[in-house]
Amino acid sequence: MRPGWILALVLVAVFTTGCFTIMAPWQLDKSDTVAHRNDLIDHAFSTPAVSLDDVQAPGAMLDSDDEWREVTVRGRYLNDHEVQLRNRVSGVQSGDQLVTPFQVNGTETVTLVNRGSVGSEGSSSTDVAAPTGQATIHARLRTPETTTQFNPPRIADGELVAYSIDPGPLSDATGLALAPYYLELMPAQPGSLGEIALPSPDGLPHLSYGVQWLVFGVLAPLALVAAAWSSVKNPRSSTPAEPVAR
């Protein structure tokens, strides 16, 4: 019951508890999330595209099980409210992407459409402008991203700039009542700037990390027990050593 051993016991207890209740569940949940996302993507690719109206009611939140569904929509791009999305990663490339609101025909629904990647100065070029007039597009349904308080939408060099596709803050920034989801444009569609890479399907690292944290949580108390047992079996002498005879 020395202070050093009490402190070691407390630290090991905190570490082990963190391993089992925070770190391991965090990584295992990520692994489950990746597996569920892969199932949704596989289902979307094996299911024919449907009209947006058949999947999504106007103004309703997107059901997470409907994410990645492929839909067709007819309407027109609202180029005057385009958003430049900064610092995005698509596959192995990083850069800016263009997000343009799309007015759905016959409804009041306006949804954001991620049209793909451009160069850091590409948003001012006419070759990346969305087509005017009516268009039918083929896209994937996506749930909103989250805007942090440190990176809200803002005006930079006369353009609306954002770091995430979050319809809430972007509704305020554009003055449009945006749908609470967004569309990710498929390649070779009107307004497309190329293919937007799908996320990596590999969830194995998260599973491995989760198992490692469980192992750490088991080894830490075992190491403390081993150290305590060694201290008991080989106690240090509390009496001063006798002087060596000369």
Side-chain angles (χ1 to χ4, degrees):
M1 299 303 292
R2 294 174 182 170
W5 284 104
I6 294 175
L7 178 60
L9 179 62
V10 171
L11 293 177
V12 167
V14 171
F15 177 77
T16 301
T17 301
C19 287
F20 283 106
T21 63
I22 299 176
M23 303 306 296
W26 171 46
Q27 291 295 335
L28 295 176
D29 285 346
K30 277 192 170 184
S31 177
D32 291 342
T33 299
V34 171
H36 180 60
R37 184 196 64 200
N38 292 342
D39 290 341
L40 292 177
I41 293 175
D42 291 341
H43 177 70
F45 273 87
S46 62
T47 304
V50 297
S51 172
L52 176 65
D53 295 339
D54 294 338
V55 180
Q56 195 63 27
M61 297 294 293
L62 179 65
D63 188 324
S64 60
D65 288 338
D66 287 329
E67 187 171 19
W68 302 103
R69 284 292 304 272
E70 297 182 13
V71 296
T72 57
V73 193
R74 183 162 180 79
R76 63 186 181 90
Y77 286 106
L78 305 179
N79 293 313
D80 292 340
H81 301 281
E82 193 163 69
V83 181
Q84 184 164 348
L85 205 59
R86 293 281 176 86
N87 304 331
R88 305 292 288 190
V89 176
S90 179
V92 296
Q93 297 181 339
S94 61
D96 295 347
Q97 296 177 337
L98 290 185
V99 177
T100 309
F102 191 85
Q103 174 76 58
V104 180
N105 270 2
T107 71
E108 297 181 355
T109 300
V110 179
T111 178
L112 295 169
V113 176
N114 184 358
R115 300 197 290 118
S117 300
V118 295
S120 59
E121 299 178 356
S123 61
S124 61
S125 176
T126 56
D127 62 352
V128 299
T132 59
Q134 295 293 308
T136 299
I137 60 174
H138 185 183
R140 304 185 188 101
L141 277 169
R142 296 297 311 275
T143 55
E145 300 173 354
T146 302
T147 298
T148 68
Q149 60 178 325
F150 305 105
N151 289 316
R154 58 185 176 84
I155 301 296
D157 298 327
E159 297 178 333
L160 179 57
V161 172
Y163 294 86
S164 58
I165 309 178
D166 190 344
L170 287 175
S171 291
D172 298 333
T174 60
L176 300 171
L178 298 172
Y181 53 85
Y182 73 95
L183 299 177
E184 197 169 80
L185 198 60
M186 303 290 285
Q189 298 296 307
S192 172
L193 300 176
E195 184 173 3
I196 302 174
L198 293 172
S200 171
D202 188 8
L204 184 59
H206 299 301
L207 178 61
S208 299
Y209 296 152
V211 172
Q212 287 176 11
W213 282 113
L214 292 175
V215 172
F216 292 155
V218 171
L219 290 180
L222 291 180
L224 181 62
V225 170
W229 179 253
S230 176
S231 178
V232 170
K233 295 291 289 183
N234 302 288
R236 294 180 179 179
S237 175
S238 58
T239 58
E242 296 182 2
V244 178
R246 294 180 182 274

